[in-house]
């Protein structure tokens, strides 16, 4: 039996934090949920990955719709990124099933920290970093492949990767980058969630409370983000990426104790 007195109440709080992070700075899903599921609810890394990725379906869809309603969406960008991610994510999830979790976290931490620094100093490097117009489609396809690998292997839905690449490569303002990031990740999140469920890495009993919190938080976070100045939001996003990268580099020394296996799949 789980040692937590009320895992569903904790799930609601975790979902709310994830939704706020997803809506406000495009960091929700796995980025915030995986550490909390492991440290607060005691899930093992694979179960935390699969459950967090599934929660991202709720965070990304609702927050993305709020951004789209306010005109912060480029459908062409979303489609070119989503197509390769849709195919790559389940393959990457199955491929990485037995990879060392510590090595994955360390590599992801380095990448995220570099992304945070580049977002903060975008104005100094934009001129040389923008993808030429005739190469934007290959650039977006490459982003989609990267998104699929990250979603499948790490369980992060894409915010730490997609938004910085949209800002740096396409010169997008932060709000537009976040709106595209949220909706572009949906196909990868959907196929990745299915693959993790098939592998037994999703705790279905926690999903109702996680999803309810995520839906509420996503709406609130998105509305706040759309009211903030672009530069302030971008710098905040970059700083959060750096902190996130440091967290992943440091790693967790705790040994998680997972919830009962019979709560994973029906």
């Amino acid at each position: 039996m789980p040692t937590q007195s009320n895992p569903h109440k904790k799930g609601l709080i975790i979902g709310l934090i994830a939704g706020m992070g997803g809506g406000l700075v495009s960091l929700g899903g796995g980025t915030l949920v995986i550490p909390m599921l492991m440290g607060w609810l005691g899930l093992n890394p694979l179960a935390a990955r699969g459950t967090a990725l599934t929660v991202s379906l709720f965070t990304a869809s609702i927050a993305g719709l709020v951004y789209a309603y306010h005109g912060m969406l480029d459908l062409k960008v979303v489609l070119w990124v989503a197509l390769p991610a849709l195919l790559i994510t389940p393959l990457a999830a199955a491929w990485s099933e037995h990879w060392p979790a510590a090595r994955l976290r360390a590599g992801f931490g380095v990448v995220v920290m570099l992304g945070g620094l580049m977002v903060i100093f975008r104005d100094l490097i934009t001129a040389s970093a923008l993808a030429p117009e005739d190469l934007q489609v290959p650039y977006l396809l490459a982003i989609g492949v990267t998104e699929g690998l990250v979603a499948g292997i790490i369980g992060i839905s894409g915010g730490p990767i997609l938004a910085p690449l949209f800002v740096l490569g396409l010169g997008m303002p932060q709000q537009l980058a976040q709106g595209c990031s949220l909706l572009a990740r949906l196909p990868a999140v959907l196929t990745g969630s299915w693959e993790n469920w098939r592998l037994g890495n999703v705790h279905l009993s926690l999903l109702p409370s996680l999803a309810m919190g995520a839906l509420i938080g996503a709406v609130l976070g998105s509305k706040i983000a759309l009211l903030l100045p672009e530069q302030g939001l971008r710098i905040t996003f970059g700083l959060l990426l750096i902190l996130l990268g440091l967290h992943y580099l440091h790693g967790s020394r705790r040994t998680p104790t997972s919830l009962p296996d019979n709560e994973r799949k029906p």
Side-chain angles (χ1 to χ4, degrees):
M1 295 297 293
T3 58
Q4 295 80 14
S5 57
N6 194 333
H8 300 293
K9 182 181 294 185
K10 293 180 178 180
L12 182 65
I13 296 172
I14 291 172
L16 184 64
I17 294 172
M20 284 289 294
L24 184 59
V25 287
S26 195
L27 299 177
T31 308
L32 299 176
V33 174
I34 288 177
M36 289 188 287
L37 288 178
M38 293 175 62
W40 205 11
L41 287 177
L43 272 65
N44 64 61
L46 288 176
R49 180 187 77 173
T51 305
L53 197 59
T54 305
V55 173
S56 299
L57 282 172
F58 302 94
T59 301
S61 58
I62 295 301
L65 288 174
V66 175
Y67 277 90
Y69 179 77
H70 289 85
M72 294 299 171
L73 176 67
D74 186 325
L75 188 58
K76 181 183 73 173
V77 168
V78 170
L79 291 176
W80 281 118
V81 171
L83 287 174
L86 177 70
L87 302 174
I88 295 294
T89 303
L91 299 176
W95 182 38
S96 63
E97 178 74 2
H98 302 293
W99 284 18
R103 187 180 301 174
L104 295 175
R105 286 196 298 268
F108 182 72
V110 171
V111 172
V112 167
M113 287 182 65
L114 290 174
L117 290 170
M118 289 190 292
V119 166
I120 291 173
F121 297 104
R122 183 193 70 175
D123 294 338
L124 300 178
I125 63 176
T126 293
S128 60
L130 287 176
E133 187 172 352
D134 58 339
L135 293 179
Q136 284 189 1
V137 170
Y139 178 75
L140 292 173
L141 291 173
I143 292 178
V145 171
T146 304
E147 151 69 1
L149 291 172
V150 170
I153 295 173
I154 308 294
I156 303 296
S157 60
I161 299 295
L162 293 180
L165 291 175
F166 290 155
V167 169
L168 297 169
L170 302 178
M172 284 186 176
Q174 185 66 33
Q175 281 93 339
L176 179 58
Q178 291 183 187
C180 291
S181 167
L182 287 162
L183 292 178
R185 74 184 68 168
L186 281 177
V189 170
L190 182 61
T191 56
S193 299
W194 166 257
E195 183 65 21
N196 276 280
W197 178 85
R198 189 185 67 80
L199 294 169
N201 295 329
V202 177
H203 277 287
L204 297 179
S205 66
L206 289 174
L207 284 183
S209 55
L210 287 167
M212 183 179 297
L215 292 173
I216 297 170
V219 172
L220 294 176
S222 300
K223 290 184 175 296
I224 294 172
L226 290 165
L227 296 174
L228 296 176
E230 190 273 339
Q231 185 178 26
L233 183 62
R234 174 165 51 84
I235 292 175
T236 300
F237 179 75
L239 291 173
L240 287 173
L241 288 182
I242 293 172
L243 292 174
L244 176 68
L246 289 172
H247 168 77
Y248 273 88
L249 280 174
H250 181 267
S252 175
R253 297 183 180 274
R254 295 180 59 183
T255 302
T257 55
S258 61
L259 291 175
D261 289 341
N262 61 10
E263 293 186 20
R264 294 188 184 183
K265 287 177 63 174

